[in-house]
Amino acid sequence: MAKTTISFGVVLILLGIFGYAGSHSHTPLALIPAAVGLVLGILGFLAMTDDAKKRMLFMHIAVTIGLLGFLATIKSVVDYFRWRHGAQFPHPVVVQANAAMSILLLVFVIFCVRSFIAARRARA
């Protein structure tokens, strides 16, 4: 799961950079996915250890950040659908980037939970 965490981190960093570059006003809100991706990438790198306790700790921190990030940005998914149906937003690129981040983090959390369940079953 450490490599998967790093991969999700890289995708979120790229999403944040492209969102920032795509917003004509260069609003710093577009960099939120990049910040979350950086934290996930660091945690994924730290989880690449032979020590099972440290790996478990870093992965649990990563999935917690992923879950909190998903919960914090779920409104952006609703805003995205509102934008698609004609609602006006000052920075539509930010709405799109945060909605994409929300979906990516949901997928990341699902992958982590499945991995944790499989690891628990393997230990039993």
Side-chain angles (χ1 to χ4, degrees), residues 1-75:
M1 273 312 295
K3 290 180 182 178
T4 304
T5 303
I6 293 171
S7 298
F8 272 92
V10 168
V11 169
L12 287 169
I13 289 170
L14 292 174
L15 178 66
I17 291 171
F18 288 133
Y20 182 77
S23 68
H24 299 294
S25 64
H26 295 294
T27 177
L29 292 174
L31 291 174
I32 291 172
V36 174
L38 181 64
V39 172
L40 286 180
I42 291 170
L43 288 168
F45 179 73
L46 292 173
M48 293 179 70
T49 179
D50 292 331
D51 186 0
K53 293 286 185 185
K54 286 184 180 179
R55 184 174 51 249
M56 192 167 39
L57 171 68
F58 291 128
M59 286 309 303
H60 278 85
I61 293 171
V63 75
T64 300
I65 290 173
L67 179 62
L68 291 174
F70 166 70
L71 293 174
T73 57
I74 189 115
K75 183 184 178 301

